[in-house]
Amino acid sequence: MRRKIILDLDTGIDDALALAYALGSPELEIIGVTGTYGNVAVDTGVRNALAILELFGRTDVPVHAGLPCARECDSFEVLEISEFIHGANGIGGAQLPEPTTAAAEGDAVEFLVESVRKYGDELVIVPTGPSTTIAAAIEADSSFAENARIIMMGGALTVPGNVRPWAEANVHQDPEATDLLFRRARDVTMVGLDVTLQTLLTTRETAVWRSLGTRGGTFLADAADHYIRAYETTSPHLGGCGLHDPLAVAVAVDPGLVEFLHLNLKVDTHGETRGRTIADETRLNDPVKTARVAALVDVERFLAEFMGRLTALAEKTPAA
Ligand code: BDR
Ligand code: CA
């Protein structure tokens, strides 16, 4: 049986690659996408998700708009670093036609709560942006925290942050929301910078997509090349761009790609470590661990899966 999945995306270049990974995975049945702010404003993220679904022939997948800003804010502005990394349109300046479909009716929180009620543990939710919408779903319905299976990209346990010395970008956007998620949700998998900064894409791989001569291949190559160039400036020591969000989807398909530490997590919400993801000292000896943190990754196998799935998907799109 195919595993049902909802992606909560701030689309975003690596979110786009994550969506493509899900679309290219026969093991998954995509129930829907929810759109959050983060790399871009929520409207731009929703538009990008719709345009990418249309590119790959999947206008049947509903996209629901989520919350527009963090819990303790009343507005959102794209950070300079996000715009530098993802481009003003969020997909590295890559051009996609305006989607012919619109966002689905009904907000994302309602959609998430109802889907967990309907599908229980047959469903996995993969958030790859700030945790605001997921936290709102936890607050909206007590059974959501109990039953939702969440595999999130975000946080950094054993390595420094990427936007602050302590904080990873998704958690940094809304530390209170991720803290609530860690404290209340019963089944959380954290795929953070510990592993995602080991899974790197280079122009050698994007050249494969470009050589396909298809619309899908050209889009993936244009967007990822922008991302790789940005990483050459921000993190030249890496030698490629981090495949953060696709790794979370890959773990939803095959948890065997990573090895876990079992912990109860929290997020620091005050002081200079605001945004840090760390074990909750008050639940250290609790025999029940609600989170598993990916600490090791089989880089070679993941990259082979990633390239195989996205290349096959892009091959099927019309000529550029
Ligand atoms: C995360 O932050 C965003 O910029 C990326 O899309 C990814 O989800 C990496 O820290
Ligand atoms: Ca993201």
Side-chain angles (χ1 to χ4, degrees):
M1 200 175 67
R2 291 191 300 158
R3 172 162 296 168
K4 296 178 172 49
I5 186 170
I6 296 174
L7 297 154
D8 183 44
L9 308 171
D10 59 330
T11 320
I13 297 172
D14 60 326
D15 302 81
L17 299 175
L19 180 54
Y21 196 105
L23 291 167
S25 296
E27 302 89 340
L28 298 176
E29 177 188 352
I30 307 176
I31 297 300
V33 170
T34 54
T36 179
Y37 70 93
N39 295 322
V40 286
V42 66
D43 292 352
T44 310
V46 165
R47 182 246 169 226
N48 288 343
L50 288 168
I52 293 162
L53 286 166
E54 190 155 342
L55 172 69
F56 293 113
R58 291 298 307 275
T59 49
D60 59 304
V61 176
V63 180
H64 295 264
L67 295 172
C69 59
R71 291 168 74 76
E72 300 200 341
C73 300
D74 46 27
S75 64
F76 168 73
E77 266 187 45
V78 176
L79 297 174
E80 213 175 297
I81 182 71
S82 306
E83 183 163 334
F84 178 74
I85 291 181
H86 297 272
N89 73 350
I91 45 177
Q95 295 304 313
L96 286 178
E98 268 310 301
T100 61
T101 50
E105 280 177 23
D107 69 28
V109 173
E110 203 177 288
F111 176 68
L112 286 162
V113 166
E114 271 168 20
S115 301
V116 168
R117 269 203 214 128
K118 191 161 160 193
Y119 299 118
D121 64 6
E122 284 170 39
L123 171 71
V124 63
I125 299 171
V126 179
T128 65
S131 308
T132 316
T133 304
I134 307 296
I138 290 173
E139 288 184 310
D141 181 338
S142 57
S143 73
F144 183 88
E146 204 55 46
N147 299 322
R149 298 185 53 222
I150 298 169
I151 301 183
M152 59 174 275
M153 191 284 135
L157 187 74
T158 61
V159 296
N162 55 357
V163 288
R164 294 278 184 279
W166 301 100
E168 180 279 332
N170 290 337
V171 179
H172 169 77
Q173 292 278 4
D174 194 348
E176 283 76 15
T178 311
D179 188 49
L180 186 145
L181 188 161
F182 284 163
R183 289 176 191 276
R184 304 254 304 259
R186 306 295 298 169
D187 187 347
V188 180
T189 299
M190 179 178 124
V191 178
L193 300 180
D194 313 274
V195 282
T196 65
L197 284 176
Q198 296 179 50
T199 54
L200 301 168
L201 191 74
T202 72
T203 50
R204 272 192 306 280
E205 287 84 31
T206 61
V208 173
W209 293 335
R210 199 173 292 290
S211 71
L212 296 173
T214 63
R215 288 180 50 212
T218 304
F219 166 71
L220 293 176
D222 285 350
D225 280 348
H226 175 100
Y227 197 47
I228 292 165
R229 281 194 299 275
Y231 265 72
E232 277 165 9
T233 307
T234 59
S235 316
H237 59 285
L238 288 175
C241 67
L243 292 172
H244 308 287
D245 297 346
L247 184 59
V249 176
V251 170
V253 174
D254 179 3
L257 285 169
V258 292
E259 287 180 40
F260 298 108
L261 293 173
H262 295 260
L263 296 169
N264 290 312
L265 287 169
K266 69 169 188 178
V267 178
D268 289 343
T269 53
H270 294 99
E272 63 167 350
T273 62
R274 181 171 160 77
R276 173 173 70 159
T277 49
I278 187 97
D280 176 2
E281 70 280 13
T282 67
R283 294 186 292 155
L284 209 51
N285 298 318
D286 191 329
V288 177
K289 311 294 185 205
T290 58
R292 37 186 207 163
V293 179
L296 301 171
V297 55
D298 186 337
V299 175
E300 215 173 296
R301 194 156 73 80
F302 166 67
L303 285 178
E305 293 290 341
F306 175 82
M307 280 311 289
R309 289 166 195 251
L310 270 71
T311 306
L313 181 77
E315 243 165 14
K316 288 186 224 131
T317 56

